[in-house]
Amino acid sequence: MTAAAAERPTRVSAAAVARAAGVSPATVSYIMNGRGGVSAETRRHVLGIANELGYRASGRRQTPDPQLTRVVGLIVPNIVNPMYTGWAQNIITATAAEGFDVFVATTQDDADSLSQIATTLAARNVDGVIIAAALRRDARSLQTLRQRRIPYVYLSRRSEQVPGDFVGIDDDAAAAQLMAHVLRHGRTEIATVIGPRFSTASLAREVAFVRTAAQAGVTISGSRKVSTRLNAQGGIAAAQRLLRSPDRPEAIVCGSDEIAIGVMEYALSLGLRIPDDLLVVGSDGLPHSRSRLIGMTTIVQPVQQMATKAFELLLDQITSKRTSFVHEICEHQLHIGTSCGCPAQPVAAP
């Protein structure tokens, strides 16, 4: 016997996993074969033990669907914006509880990249895809998935060309609520900054911002409607255009927290005071944006709920092969910070 053969680790059995996890071998079999009848808590516990022990299920096992690879794709614009990393982490947690792995890819909001990623995921035979980077008028990538009969769910934004399951917030209502709050502060020289208009979410927010202002007698002109990249650098670029103008706005309403942070950063570099000289609000409700350090007034999206629901809908498609589509609208909240001119809220006693 060679030294290499002597050091080869012994294969971990399902019975060993069952003993370590304190469950029956049948429970381990159910979980590893992707069958129902096991609670999410037990599933997470057993999968964690299996990973620690290095258990690998036999390729010869019988599964309810032997075609499943137990891998799903997640497509996001980037991993710089914490909104996307928040969704990604919660989706990874939800998928792990059901014994799936996640293949994460970024598009940088490029149509060709999105098409190539869809082709790659199809070639890898993933069981389904969650898409947080859909383009309004792009159908190439989605047709690739449809042709291969790969289920998909839209998260936050969607394609107008290809129907599908969708999870998001009511962007129109949320944006209208945010703009109405800004208007109550009496500012009339207002600009809006959103992400790319090929995102249905960004465009819906801009339309609602402008419409709500117009209903109050405030016109937001074309030069004050800015579309930019969905990150802080995009916010800085937008602020440079708006704040270098001789008719500088009194308020900038943003369709993203990261954009708003970039706007605030550039405004502060000019010596402007927020909110005294410039009122700035965002959308997304990221934890650091709502901290007392930044104090942003923003629309809060329920990140965990949206991510979990997106995977639930995808798993339902994978297991039931249904042909109808579901739209799940999650409830948003308006968080009042100090960046809009509202006084700081008292800190609750510990």
Side-chain angles (χ1 to χ4, degrees), residues 232-253:
Q233 290 303 314
I236 290 173
Q240 289 174 336
R241 290 175 54 183
L242 292 168
L243 299 182
R244 284 177 175 173
S245 171
D247 58 340
R248 188 178 67 207
E250 304 172 310
I252 299 180
V253 180

Side-chain angles (χ1 to χ4, degrees), residues 114-243:
L114 179 58
S115 180
Q116 181 59 50
I117 289 168
T119 301
T120 299
L121 292 175
R124 288 175 177 264
N125 292 317
V126 296
D127 296 325
V129 183
I130 296 174
I131 310 170
L135 310 179
R136 287 174 48 226
R137 300 189 181 280
D138 180 71
R140 290 179 300 164
S141 56
L142 300 166
Q143 291 295 356
T144 298
L145 299 177
R146 285 169 68 97
Q147 290 167 3
R148 294 291 296 271
R149 299 184 183 277
I150 297 175
Y152 58 86
V153 174
Y154 294 125
L155 178 59
S156 181
R157 54 160 96 166
R158 54 197 163 193
S159 168
E160 296 173 337
Q161 308 294 321
V162 184
D165 283 3
F166 170 77
V167 177
I169 63 170
D170 187 335
D171 290 297
D172 184 273
Q177 184 180 12
L178 184 64
M179 178 60 79
H181 181 79
V182 170
L183 292 167
R184 284 195 286 272
H185 284 275
R187 307 291 176 103
T188 57
E189 298 297 323
I190 300 174
T192 62
V193 183
I194 61 162
R197 292 189 179 96
F198 51 66
S199 159
T200 53
S202 294
L203 183 61
R205 293 173 192 183
E206 181 181 59
V207 170
F209 287 156
V210 175
R211 183 192 68 242
T212 304
Q215 291 170 347
V218 175
T219 300
I220 301 177
S221 65
S223 62
R224 285 188 172 175
K225 295 188 296 182
V226 180
S227 173
T228 189
R229 299 184 304 279
L230 274 166
N231 54 37
Q233 290 303 314
I236 290 173
Q240 289 174 336
R241 290 175 54 183
L242 292 168
L243 299 182

